Amino acid sequence: MKTDFDNKPTHIACIMDGNGRWAKQQGKPRTFGHRAGADAVSRCIESCIRHGIPMLTLYAFSSENWNRPSLEVKALMSLLHHFLKEKVSSLEKQDIRLSTIGNTAKLPAKTQQLLNRVVEQTKDNKTLHLVLALSYGSRDEIVEATKKIAHMAQSGQLNPEQITHELFEKHLDTAGMPDPDLLIRTSGEMRISNFLLWQISYTELFVTPTLWPDFSEKEFLEALTDYNTRHRKFGKI
Ligand code: FPP
């Protein structure tokens, strides 16, 4: 069902939480939950296309997730690789552009190569811009941006007085992307977990108790319906 909303987000970001708890509820290993989470990713992409949302950023692997047990990290990397391989042709067919934020140099070499290929192959696609946050941490991103700007100042390319919000944004992984209008977090946790700290300054938040593997069109529509009622003031009255 396609519903018309007066106010629709241009950019939705998702903290996909609850895969482990979902698996536990079924008496299955955590990796089972991640696999079901990948199916929910596909459904979320379909929902964005159905409702004309042009941009979706998914927190797929955080810089802190490297500290999980090595078998779980391996399983997540393998899931990501197979997901990308399987999705290449449908991304093309559905006119989806893929890009990434985060320290992807830490990913397995074969996944980096595959990502580079898919990013290049889909760079002109227009219907949906899908951004995967991979080995992403907002504090790292902010520190890296600060280092780049500090080097510019040190070498005399920049007067510190010229540092503005706009200049700072240009050095973040999200340079050139609009800030998210709506951030969805599943599994009921009221946390941001080091995700897009700079970029969500004025983002509307929607937290659902639904665990990510159960996230479907129903929850997506609830989030859009709720967003439609928000009055965004950006600090004004
Ligand atoms: C959080 O659930 C989820 C993650 C750390 C990884 C997100 C990964 C996916 C949704 C699947 C793969 C994604 C792609 C793009 C193929 P959790 O493990 O922290 O759950 P818990 O809090 O219930 O333990």
Side-chain angles (χ1 to χ4, degrees):
M1 180 182 66
K2 186 177 186 317
T3 316
D4 281 327
F5 294 101
D6 295 330
N7 302 310
K8 249 186 344 190
T10 296
H11 180 185
I12 296 180
C14 291
I15 302 179
M16 311 184 286
D17 193 17
N19 296 350
R21 271 161 286 173
W22 186 89
K24 197 170 175 198
Q25 284 174 1
Q26 329 261 323
K28 298 270 177 31
R30 293 177 58 80
T31 47
F32 186 78
H34 294 315
R35 279 206 297 276
D39 294 338
V41 167
S42 300
R43 287 197 298 274
C44 188
I45 293 171
E46 294 298 330
S47 293
C48 283
I49 293 177
R50 189 173 305 119
H51 296 286
I53 307 297
M55 190 160 184
L56 174 68
T57 299
L58 299 175
Y59 205 5
F61 194 86
S62 75
S63 47
E64 289 73 26
N65 286 155
W66 291 113
N67 300 321
R68 290 192 175 197
S70 66
L71 276 180
E72 182 168 343
V73 170
K74 260 198 189 134
L76 277 165
M77 289 300 135
S78 159
L79 186 60
L80 171 68
H81 193 86
H82 287 102
F83 177 88
L84 287 169
K85 243 172 120 170
E86 196 188 287
K87 280 272 179 273
V88 186
S89 65
S90 69
L91 292 177
E92 269 302 351
K93 253 188 238 142
Q94 293 181 287
D95 194 36
I96 300 171
R97 171 183 173 198
L98 181 88
S99 64
T100 63
I101 53 173
N103 186 2
T104 52
K106 287 181 85 173
L107 300 176
K110 65 170 189 175
T111 306
Q112 289 183 47
Q113 282 158 17
L114 178 58
L115 268 174
N116 290 341
R117 184 160 69 77
V118 183
V119 167
E120 174 59 27
Q121 204 174 314
T122 62
K123 69 177 190 311
D124 297 321
N125 293 350
K126 297 275 185 295
T127 299
L128 173 69
H129 184 179
L130 171 65
V131 182
L132 293 182
L134 295 168
S135 189
Y136 174 85
S138 197
R139 287 182 171 179
D140 280 350
E141 179 192 31
I142 289 170
V143 167
E144 287 309 311
T146 307
K147 276 192 210 161
K148 284 181 218 154
I149 295 168
H151 282 301
M152 285 164 70
Q154 193 182 35
S155 66
Q157 285 176 68
L158 179 79
N159 175 340
E161 291 307 317
Q162 294 171 309
I163 302 172
T164 58
H165 292 182
E166 290 72 25
L167 181 120
F168 195 79
E169 270 162 12
K170 284 192 184 124
H171 293 86
L172 294 171
D173 294 1
T174 51
M177 297 180 188
D179 288 343
D181 302 294
L182 173 65
L183 172 67
I184 299 174
R185 178 163 189 147
T186 57
S187 91
E189 308 289 348
M190 301 289 182
R191 287 195 284 275
I192 298 301
S193 303
N194 201 15
F195 190 43
L196 301 175
L197 298 179
W198 171 283
Q199 297 87 342
I200 61 166
S201 297
Y202 287 100
T203 298
E204 298 294 323
L205 309 180
F206 180 83
V207 177
T208 170
T210 300
L211 304 175
W212 178 255
D214 286 330
F215 188 86
S216 65
E217 171 75 2
K218 174 179 165 283
E219 288 76 17
F220 192 87
L221 263 180
E222 279 169 13
L224 285 191
T225 305
D226 193 26
Y227 180 84
N228 194 37
T229 66
R230 307 280 180 103
H231 177 51
R232 302 185 74 189
K233 297 197 295 186
F234 299 95
K236 299 180 206 126
I237 56 170

